[in-house]
Structures are given as C-alpha cells and as structure tokens.
Amino acid sequence: MANTQIPQGHWQPGPLPKDIYYGSGCVARHLLFCLAPSSRVFVITNTSLSKTPLLPQLESILGAQHAGTISSIKQHVSLSDIEDALSTILSTTHTPTPITLLSLGGGSAIDATKIISYKYHSATRSFLPHIAIPTTLSGAECTPGGSYTITEQSPTTPVTTKKAIIHPDLAISTIFYDPIYAAHTPPTLWLSTGIRALDHATECMYHPLAAEVPWKALALFAFSELLTCLPLSKAHPTDDNLTVRLMLAAYASSGFKGSNIGGELGLSHRLGHVLGSAYGIPHGITSCMTLGRVVCVKARDRDAAAQIVRLIPGIEAGDGDGRLRTGDDYADAVQVGKRIQGLARELGLEGKLGDYGVERDEVERIVRRVVGDEGDEREMKEVEEVVMRLF
C-alpha cells in the first residue's frame, strides 16, 4: 500500500537450512545424497505415523544407513520421552561413525529431535545433524529451537509447564516438503496447523522487532496463500499441488523471522503455549481459538492496527471480495480478526475452552501464567478479555 508507514527496524539473520527440497517424491530422489556416506540415521517419529506405510517406505530408502527408529514421541513431548530416546541412541552407538537424526512428523517429533540433539551435546559435546520431513503445517522446522513439557507435583494438582531451548546449532540442516508424507495426516491436524502457520504470519505484523524484509514481506505472502489454500485443501485433500503450496507458505510464515526474535511471537502464541501445556490442547487448535480474538483486541492499539490492516489484500485475494479497506484502521483490523475467526469456522475448527474441560474459574490462573509476575494491569485486562471470549 502506497501510504504504509515503515518503522525503523533490524533483521538479524539466523541459521538457515542448507537445503530445502519440495515436491512429490523429493524424499526418494534426494534423501541419500544429503547423508554422509557412512552416516547412521535414527528416525524420530510418533506412534500414529509408525502404523502407516510411510515409515517402512522411509526405512527402505535409508537401507543400510538406517540405525533405528524411535516412534514413542507424543503430543506436547515430555522430558521423559526425550530422555528415553537419548538413552536408546547412546546405548546403540558404539562406533565412531557419524549419526544423523531424521524427524518424521509434526511439531512434536521435530521439537523432540532438536531437544535430543541438545541433550546429546550435553552428554558428548557434539550436536547431531537433523533432517526434517514435516507432515503438518506447524512450522517447527523453521526455528533453531524446540520445547518440551515438565510435570511437577504441587500440594493440590500436578502442574505442567513448557520449557524452550534455543541454540543456533539446533537449526535443521535439510527440510523435505514432500506431499507423499502428508497423505496420512488427519484432516483436523493438517488444517489446524495451517491456522497455526497463519498465526505466525499474523503476529509477525505487530511484533515490535519484526523486520520489513524479509520477514514481513514473506508473512504477507504466506497469509494470502494460507487463506486461499486451506479451504481448497479441505475440499481437495489429495491435491499434491495444494499440499506443497501450503507447506511452502508455512515455511514463509516464520522461516525468516531472524535470530533477534525470541521464541514467542505475540499474545496468541503466549496463550497457545499456556493452554497447550496446562490442558493438553493441540497448538493448532489453540490458534484456531485465540488468533482472531487476539487480533480484534490488538486492533485498539493504533500502531498494531496500522500493521494488521496490511493483511487485507491477502483477504481480498483469497475471497475475491474486491476492495475491503474503509480507511478506518481500527474497523479494518477488526475485520481481519473476524475473517480469521470465519476461516476457523469454515474449516470446522472453531472450538471453545469448555470443549477441553476448562472451566471459567480457571481464567485467573490462565491470565497469571500468560502475563507472569511482572505484567501490568492493562496487559492483564487485555489477556483476561481474550480468555473470556474463549468460553
């Protein structure tokens, strides 16, 4: 837009993949060429994917370089999952041949593999190279960090919290966006993680440290692609072209945010981390619940609204509605939030906290965990307003 105000900024490049392959069959064509000739590969995945033809297919491609498969990774990966996997790798490694980790799955498998590499470094002083074959749109492959959950006992009930680790040597070396490996992803998981990617692209716009180029430029592209392709993917789930478009849009939404950006992007992400760890709600679903409502609240901030309205051309492209801007940044930013909520409804994904057994008397506890001990009254009221809208 000609009158867009560009604030001063700074982009600090972070570690990027050495290779990104995309398209149907790219794993079979290129995987072996990405491995050191003598490398032994451990596949890290989850139980559900281990029951599909994908795992035997991948193990067959690896052939003699396949060292083993760990298929016990669960949603909101726990520290015990990490420790068990690390123990397996260390106990079966008796030769000096190099080890490569290959994650197959969504955010949990990818994050678990990063943390395994970090813990392996703690034990051996060496990080392990990591190749990822994502099967969802969570974007976990985009960042040099991961998270896991720790459950601690309290006088009343166990408290589960999320711990994040960020280190440049946790950046993934090679990513394969192969639609063949997304074919068995449940539709709800696929589409909800697409909203998670939309969360990345949207919260980029009002993040105080987000750089205009390349991150915001790519986020604007990603927002439009996700808005266009998610409903089409629901209608045509076996369309490989749509699958690849969504995978690349998910990467564009957060792959270039830069190393000067912390682990959390904005209020929707902060809420998602608390709701996910405390109540076991998948992160894609938390974004379906929170993102549109957070945008409507952020619209009251004049600076945030001026950035949010830049997403409207993506809505126009996706909906074919022509010119939607009214010139009132607040009203137009609210329109963006409502369109995001409408997309979640269109995909059949707009849930409520009550669907996951969360009661209204939990509101204060949720707000405290999101804001922390140093939050001011304005921030607490803002978070409380969003949380109340989730019931």
Side-chain angles (χ1 to χ4, degrees), residues 253-308:
S253 73
S254 58
F256 290 86
K257 68 180 185 178
S259 60
N260 55 319
I261 306 293
E264 293 181 334
L265 297 184
L267 178 53
S268 181
H269 278 73
R270 289 160 60 198
L271 278 164
H273 287 159
V274 169
L275 296 174
S277 61
Y279 305 105
I281 306 173
H283 282 317
I285 297 298
T286 64
S287 289
C288 293
M289 291 192 285
T290 62
L291 179 59
R293 293 171 173 88
V294 166
V295 169
C296 289
V297 171
K298 296 292 290 185
R300 297 174 192 152
D301 180 316
R302 183 171 60 183
D303 292 337
Q307 295 299 313
I308 292 167

Side-chain angles (χ1 to χ4, degrees), residues 114-187:
K114 294 176 190 175
I115 305 301
I116 290 168
S117 177
Y118 186 85
K119 298 288 187 181
Y120 185 89
H121 174 265
S122 298
T124 67
R125 311 313 301 167
S126 297
F127 288 96
L128 296 173
H130 177 181
I131 294 173
I133 305 176
T135 62
T136 75
L137 301 170
S138 69
E141 69 277 7
C142 298
T143 62
S147 59
Y148 58 93
T149 57
I150 301 174
T151 301
E152 300 173 338
Q153 297 298 323
S154 73
T156 53
T157 58
V159 176
T160 301
T161 57
K162 186 175 287 286
K163 180 175 176 59
I165 294 175
I166 298 176
H167 192 286
D169 288 322
L170 296 182
I172 293 173
S173 61
T174 304
I175 302 172
F176 287 92
Y177 289 122
D178 192 331
I180 289 173
Y181 287 84
H184 294 270
T185 302

Side-chain angles (χ1 to χ4, degrees), residues 6 81 91 141 165 186 384:
I6 304 298
D81 290 336
S91 67
E141 69 277 7
I165 294 175
E384 182 178 11

